[in-house]
Amino acid sequence: MTRVHVPIQLRWGDLDAFGHVNNASMLRLLEEARCRAFFRAEDSDDDIPPTAVFDPEVLGSPTGVVTLIARQSIEYLRPVPYRHRPLDVQLWLGRIGGSSIDVCYEVHSAVGEEERVVYARADAVVVLVDIATGRPVRLTPEMRAAWEPFLEEPVAFTRR
Amino acid sequence: MTRVHVPIQLRWGDLDAFGHVNNASMLRLLEEARCRAFFRAEDSDDDIPPTAVFDPEVLGSPTGVVTLIARQSIEYLRPVPYRHRPLDVQLWLGRIGGSSIDVCYEVHSAVGEEERVVYARADAVVVLVDIATGRPVRLTPEMRAAWEPFLEEPVAFTRR
Amino acid sequence: MTRVHVPIQLRWGDLDAFGHVNNASMLRLLEEARCRAFFRAEDSDDDIPPTAVFDPEVLGSPTGVVTLIARQSIEYLRPVPYRHRPLDVQLWLGRIGGSSIDVCYEVHSAVGEEERVVYARADAVVVLVDIATGRPVRLTPEMRAAWEPFLEEPVAFTRR
Amino acid sequence: MTRVHVPIQLRWGDLDAFGHVNNASMLRLLEEARCRAFFRAEDSDDDIPPTAVFDPEVLGSPTGVVTLIARQSIEYLRPVPYRHRPLDVQLWLGRIGGSSIDVCYEVHSAVGEEERVVYARADAVVVLVDIATGRPVRLTPEMRAAWEPFLEEPVAFTRR
């Protein structure tokens, strides 16, 4: 089990009028976890634990290729309260396809909380697309090799 | 086919750094459509076409009951550009269960555009929950009667 | 007095945990009003009343020039509740400078509400900047001529 | 000079279509810094450095009192890029009034960046309000004593 753990800081502004993290805001948190796991910022080295090899440099950073989200599902298991400690968002791959991957997520309470809780489970189909043509691009052998260690059982939703 | 059509104004701020409406922002648009279709604001009468009978008043507005989203899926069919005319978000019910309903969505380009486009399809499992106990509440016969006209085939996703 | 009136749809998601439109969300509403008043989308013609001549076409749409916000102030006069009818955001110019303008705003309750209320007042210093050099660009005589009809007294803040 | 330093994680979703942190998103970052400096979450102890005594417990946590933002100004000095390391948002008080305080902010690049940069300066008038009556509440001597160490020169804006 090689999951990438990304600490994501909540914001009070993620709450909605019900006083819990809003359902749409939850996708923002997943987006941020995905960005930190998959992409390097100029200063990214120390943020994500060294297990995170979802790395364009490793992948040969194909130019002219973007990633698009084709589909996304999320199951909300319990309301997320505002906390100062960052949530522990865990990512892995549920499938490595021809030109897309399934990114799976579990949103856990902060590392260090007495009681560990899973707040949500989600998955996203991420497609590699050629900017110029708008068409899907096949994953390279380098990508497959780099991503295989993160391949695990797909996320298991409780409903349906 | 009785769908509720809700005009939803885009905001330039819904765009992300790729210049398209962000995938998480899309859930905000669906949320707003759902709020306008299901709930009355003090001034709501003229906003939603008269077909919209998703109405707490009709439903006997059960006190102490809230609606929670248990699960949500969305398929992004093509990028949504910024436009001034409101999107045409269409809602219907894909299932009326014991204590939950499936709200289905299609996000269409604005009424009046030459070319009508479907940008996204989505569904959400909305559960009625008793605030005091936190447990699901059974739909009343009045709710079922009010909602049945909006029952249609569930949303058909292209992928999987 | 030539103000531009821009109808801006609220979203339930603009509310924060206090149940009112969040103070940061208010700037999003102003941003959207500014975008609709100043810029044309492909389909913008009928959205903003014909008084709106803040128009790049009129202005000779200088290429390679962007607008940046250098400073912004906002005074919150009373909490904004969620409503279905769009707010009436009014814009005018408080100053036409060498390479910048002051955009002034008043956020009014919806047209058609019995009681008209001013929720907020704001102003923003918008600077024209050359993308290539990053330096301010002087307003052209065409811009000055187009904008002068919208020149009015600057917004008067209650505090300080 | 006793400033409170609050590390605030950026999100890729804070960027707008220009590829920089959006002007309205900046207020979200300030809001989060304010929440972390002024309020305790159940787990807040280790997040903010021990200098932060803006603490309801210290203040006798007056019940039935909320804080509202009456006015806010922000000056954007340079565009904020997306980074993984948290921004260093610095807060202090520019004024302790009868029933309100001025919270001052400077948004600095992350601690540890080679080049330290000030991205923005801002201030906010925060008023204590009685929920029941909606009227301002006078600061108590305990509040004044707790806040005085953070009193500094008000933020100096470059423009005007």
Side-chain angles (χ1 to χ4, degrees):
Chain A
M1 284 244 314
T2 319
R3 293 185 176 188
V4 182
H5 292 252
V6 186
I8 295 291
Q9 208 178 53
L10 279 172
R11 295 180 186 168
W12 183 82
D14 294 326
L15 305 180
D16 62 23
F18 291 153
H20 299 125
V21 173
N22 179 264
N23 71 80
S25 300
M26 284 293 288
L27 286 207
R28 280 255 182 250
L29 306 181
L30 301 185
E31 172 178 79
E32 188 53 25
R34 194 173 57 242
C35 285
R36 286 172 184 255
F38 274 75
F39 302 106
R40 304 215 152 246
E42 279 186 39
D43 67 341
S44 58
D45 356 50
D46 18 337
D47 277 287
I48 305 298
T51 45
V53 222
F54 289 125
D55 183 351
E57 289 196 10
V58 176
L59 307 179
S61 57
T63 31
V65 173
V66 289
T67 53
L68 290 185
I69 295 190
R71 187 168 166 186
Q72 218 164 182
S73 293
I74 178 165
E75 188 172 41
Y76 305 94
L77 301 172
R78 45 177 89 196
V80 182
Y82 176 61
R83 287 286 182 277
H84 284 188
R85 286 207 205 108
L87 292 174
D88 170 32
V89 182
Q90 305 181 5
L91 295 94
W92 70 94
L93 298 182
R95 187 185 60 89
I96 301 180
S99 58
S100 69
I101 54 176
D102 285 6
V103 180
C104 300
Y105 311 82
E106 268 182 12
V107 179
H108 288 248
S109 52
V111 175
E113 295 278 309
E114 302 100 87
E115 200 200 1
R116 297 306 306 276
V117 169
V118 181
Y119 289 122
R121 290 196 181 93
D123 62 11
V125 179
V126 179
V127 187
L128 270 73
V129 173
D130 184 286
I131 303 177
T133 66
R135 328 203 81 209
V137 169
R138 290 198 67 76
L139 302 187
T140 63
E142 290 75 20
M143 290 176 182
R144 298 181 165 280
W147 282 338
E148 238 147 54
F150 299 98
L151 196 60
E152 232 189 83
E153 280 295 294
V155 72
F157 291 113
T158 307
R159 285 177 173 266
R160 263 182 307 183
Chain B
M1 283 241 317
T2 320
R3 294 185 176 187
V4 183
H5 291 253
V6 186
I8 295 291
Q9 209 179 52
L10 279 172
R11 294 180 187 168
W12 183 82
D14 293 326
L15 305 179
D16 62 24
F18 290 153
H20 299 125
V21 173
N22 179 264
N23 72 80
S25 301
M26 283 292 288
L27 286 207
R28 280 255 182 251
L29 306 181
L30 301 185
E31 171 177 80
E32 188 53 26
R34 194 173 57 242
C35 285
R36 284 170 186 255
F38 274 77
F39 302 106
R40 303 213 152 246
E42 279 185 39
D43 67 341
S44 59
D45 355 50
D46 19 336
D47 277 286
I48 305 299
T51 45
V53 222
F54 288 126
D55 183 351
E57 289 197 10
V58 176
L59 307 180
S61 57
T63 32
V65 172
V66 289
T67 53
L68 290 186
I69 295 190
R71 185 166 167 187
Q72 220 164 183
S73 292
I74 178 165
E75 189 173 39
Y76 305 93
L77 301 172
R78 45 176 90 194
V80 183
Y82 176 61
R83 287 287 181 277
H84 284 188
R85 286 207 205 107
L87 292 174
D88 171 32
V89 181
Q90 305 181 5
L91 295 93
W92 70 94
L93 298 182
R95 187 185 59 89
I96 301 181
S99 57
S100 69
I101 54 177
D102 285 6
V103 180
C104 300
Y105 311 82
E106 268 181 13
V107 180
H108 289 248
S109 52
V111 175
E113 296 276 311
E114 302 100 87
E115 200 200 1
R116 298 305 305 279
V117 170
V118 181
Y119 289 122
R121 291 198 180 90
D123 63 10
V125 179
V126 178
V127 187
L128 270 73
V129 173
D130 184 287
I131 302 177
T133 66
R135 328 202 80 209
V137 168
R138 289 198 68 74
L139 303 187
T140 63
E142 289 76 20
M143 290 176 181
R144 297 181 166 282
W147 282 337
E148 238 146 55
F150 298 98
L151 196 60
E152 233 188 82
E153 280 296 293
V155 72
F157 291 113
T158 307
R159 284 179 172 266
R160 261 182 308 183
Chain C
M1 282 242 316
T2 319
R3 292 186 177 187
V4 183
H5 290 254
V6 186
I8 296 290
Q9 208 179 52
L10 279 172
R11 295 181 187 168
W12 183 82
D14 294 326
L15 305 180
D16 62 23
F18 291 153
H20 299 127
V21 173
N22 178 264
N23 72 80
S25 301
M26 284 293 287
L27 285 208
R28 281 256 182 249
L29 306 181
L30 301 185
E31 172 177 79
E32 187 54 26
R34 192 173 60 242
C35 284
R36 286 170 186 257
F38 274 75
F39 302 106
R40 302 214 153 246
E42 280 185 38
D43 67 340
S44 59
D45 356 49
D46 18 335
D47 278 285
I48 305 299
T51 44
V53 224
F54 287 125
D55 183 352
E57 289 195 11
V58 176
L59 308 179
S61 56
T63 32
V65 172
V66 289
T67 54
L68 290 185
I69 295 191
R71 186 168 166 186
Q72 218 163 184
S73 292
I74 177 164
E75 189 173 40
Y76 305 94
L77 301 172
R78 47 176 89 195
V80 182
Y82 175 61
R83 285 288 181 276
H84 283 188
R85 285 208 205 106
L87 292 173
D88 171 32
V89 181
Q90 304 181 7
L91 296 94
W92 70 93
L93 298 182
R95 187 185 58 90
I96 301 180
S99 58
S100 69
I101 54 176
D102 286 5
V103 180
C104 300
Y105 310 83
E106 267 182 14
V107 180
H108 289 249
S109 51
V111 174
E113 296 277 311
E114 301 100 88
E115 199 200 4
R116 297 305 306 277
V117 171
V118 181
Y119 289 121
R121 290 197 181 90
D123 63 11
V125 179
V126 178
V127 188
L128 270 71
V129 174
D130 184 287
I131 302 177
T133 66
R135 328 203 81 209
V137 169
R138 289 197 68 75
L139 302 187
T140 63
E142 290 75 20
M143 291 176 181
R144 298 181 166 282
W147 282 337
E148 237 147 55
F150 299 97
L151 197 59
E152 235 188 81
E153 280 296 293
V155 71
F157 291 113
T158 307
R159 286 178 171 265
R160 260 182 308 181
Chain D
M1 282 244 314
T2 319
R3 292 187 177 188
V4 182
H5 291 253
V6 185
I8 295 291
Q9 209 179 52
L10 279 172
R11 295 181 186 168
W12 183 82
D14 293 326
L15 305 180
D16 62 23
F18 290 153
H20 299 126
V21 173
N22 179 264
N23 73 78
S25 301
M26 284 293 288
L27 286 207
R28 281 256 181 248
L29 305 181
L30 301 184
E31 172 178 78
E32 188 53 25
R34 193 173 60 242
C35 285
R36 286 172 184 255
F38 273 76
F39 302 106
R40 303 214 152 246
E42 279 186 38
D43 67 340
S44 58
D45 356 49
D46 18 335
D47 278 286
I48 305 298
T51 44
V53 223
F54 288 125
D55 183 352
E57 289 195 11
V58 175
L59 306 179
S61 56
T63 33
V65 172
V66 289
T67 53
L68 290 185
I69 295 190
R71 188 171 163 182
Q72 217 162 182
S73 292
I74 177 164
E75 189 173 39
Y76 305 94
L77 301 173
R78 49 176 87 195
V80 182
Y82 175 63
R83 286 287 182 276
H84 283 188
R85 285 208 205 106
L87 293 173
D88 170 33
V89 182
Q90 305 181 6
L91 295 94
W92 71 93
L93 298 182
R95 187 185 58 89
I96 301 180
S99 57
S100 69
I101 54 177
D102 286 5
V103 180
C104 300
Y105 310 82
E106 267 181 13
V107 179
H108 289 249
S109 51
V111 174
E113 296 277 310
E114 301 99 89
E115 199 200 3
R116 297 305 306 276
V117 170
V118 181
Y119 289 121
R121 290 196 182 91
D123 63 10
V125 179
V126 179
V127 187
L128 269 72
V129 173
D130 184 286
I131 302 177
T133 66
R135 328 203 80 208
V137 168
R138 290 196 68 76
L139 301 187
T140 63
E142 290 76 19
M143 291 176 182
R144 300 182 164 280
W147 282 337
E148 237 147 55
F150 299 97
L151 197 60
E152 232 189 82
E153 280 297 294
V155 71
F157 290 113
T158 308
R159 286 178 171 265
R160 263 182 309 184

